[in-house]
Amino acid sequence: GESVGLHLPTLSVQEGDNSIINCAYSNSASDYFIWYKQESGKGPQFIIDIRSNMDKRQGQRVTVLLNKTVKHLSLQIAATQPGDSAVYFCAENSKTGANSKLTFGKGITLSVRP
Amino acid sequence: NAGVTQTPKFQVLKTGQSMTLQCAQDMNHEYMSWYRQDPGMGLRLIHYSVGAGITDQGEVPNGYNVSRSTTEDFPLRLLSAAPSQTSVYFCASSSLGNTIYFGEGSWLTVV
């Protein structure tokens, strides 16, 4: 069956350092991947996405890397800031006909040390 | 730009009571869905809809009903609340095959 998982439940980084959050997926039919950030008491917020025909996509301070060979997704945050402290989810989207199914990982907590 | 709006933000119910969580989006998205989020369980899909008049079950549909009479609204109904339905509920919407946007959540406690 398909699954999306994160390798580490928590990650603590020093302010200013780069953060790397990893995610594994198992559904080779997934064609779209998304990273979400969820702050305490709020809904998941879209960070960045990548389609399966790409292996890298950059945003502002964030980069997503997709390795389809090993079914691995990562989120890199440059110069991590206290405001980056949150729970991060990866998600994979697979299509069945006209329907899309989004499967989430359980989340990893990023804690930024001042 | 309101995006996805959920109400109420917080609700306490007694076992057996019924209630409806409201969800509205103003982005003309075809796809809408409801998730629940529990500690250690991540986000689990309850019901979803790919357009007005069309609904389907997700991963954990038991105890919940939905309807989609308009493109904008997708209410979630609990007909007889149970303590196991204590959770945080998120409504989401998207254009088909594109990024899913979430509401701010509804915290429900069933006592």
Side-chain angles (χ1 to χ4, degrees), chain B residues 40-55:
Chain B
M41 301 292 291
L43 286 157
R44 292 183 292 169
L45 181 64
I46 304 172
H47 286 283
Y48 65 97
S49 168
V50 297
I54 306 169
T55 64

Side-chain angles (χ1 to χ4, degrees), chain B:
Chain B
N1 185 1
V4 180
T5 303
Q6 292 180 233
T7 57
K9 180 82 170 180
F10 300 100
Q11 182 73 49
V12 178
L13 286 178
K14 293 182 179 179
T15 298
Q17 284 186 316
S18 63
M19 78 157 298
T20 299
L21 297 177
Q22 302 291 344
C23 177
Q25 53 90 11
D26 60 0
M27 297 172 281
N28 200 33
H29 286 165
E30 306 94 336
Y31 182 87
M32 296 187 74
S33 54
W34 278 101
Y35 291 84
R36 59 177 290 172
Q37 185 176 41
D38 302 291
M41 301 292 291
L43 286 157
R44 292 183 292 169
L45 181 64
I46 304 172
H47 286 283
Y48 65 97
S49 168
V50 297
I54 306 169
T55 64
D56 208 344
Q57 295 181 347
E59 181 184 355
V60 287
N62 293 341
Y64 308 95
N65 283 345
V66 291
S67 59
R68 185 89 180 274
S69 57
T70 66
T71 299
E72 294 78 18
D73 300 299
F74 191 46
L76 178 71
R77 297 184 184 88
L78 286 72
L79 297 180
S80 179
S84 62
Q85 294 178 304
T86 293
S87 188
V88 184
Y89 292 85
F90 290 100
C91 181
S93 75
S94 74
S95 296
L96 289 176
N98 291 311
T99 303
I100 291 182
Y101 294 95
F102 287 86
E104 289 294 288
S106 296
W107 273 252
L108 176 66
T109 301
V110 183
V111 298

Side-chain angles (χ1 to χ4, degrees), chain A:
Chain A
E2 62 181 297
S3 65
V4 177
L6 297 172
H7 294 309
L8 299 173
T10 59
L11 177 66
S12 180
V13 299
Q14 190 71 40
E15 181 179 356
D17 288 351
N18 297 336
S19 302
I20 300 175
I21 303 172
N22 296 307
C23 177
Y25 68 95
S26 60
N27 186 354
S28 58
S30 293
D31 60 353
Y32 180 52
F33 304 87
I34 313 164
W35 280 101
Y36 287 94
K37 172 186 180 183
Q38 187 174 22
E39 296 174 298
S40 180
K42 295 187 177 182
Q45 179 184 5
F46 170 83
I47 303 173
I48 192 167
D49 58 3
I50 189 167
R51 297 203 178 270
S52 58
N53 62 351
M54 302 173 67
D55 53 20
K56 181 180 180 179
R57 190 166 187 216
Q58 288 184 297
Q60 188 174 14
R61 283 202 306 119
V62 295
T63 300
V64 55
L65 299 177
L66 175 63
N67 185 332
K68 295 181 288 295
T69 301
V70 295
K71 297 188 183 67
H72 185 267
L73 187 71
S74 69
L75 176 70
Q76 300 177 1
I77 304 173
T80 311
Q81 302 170 358
D84 295 326
S85 294
V87 175
Y88 290 81
F89 297 93
C90 64
E92 60 176 321
N93 187 73
S94 56
K95 291 184 178 179
T96 305
N99 295 341
S100 290
K101 179 181 179 183
L102 195 65
T103 303
F104 289 87
K106 289 185 170 53
I108 181 170
T109 300
L110 177 65
S111 177
V112 181
R113 302 189 303 272

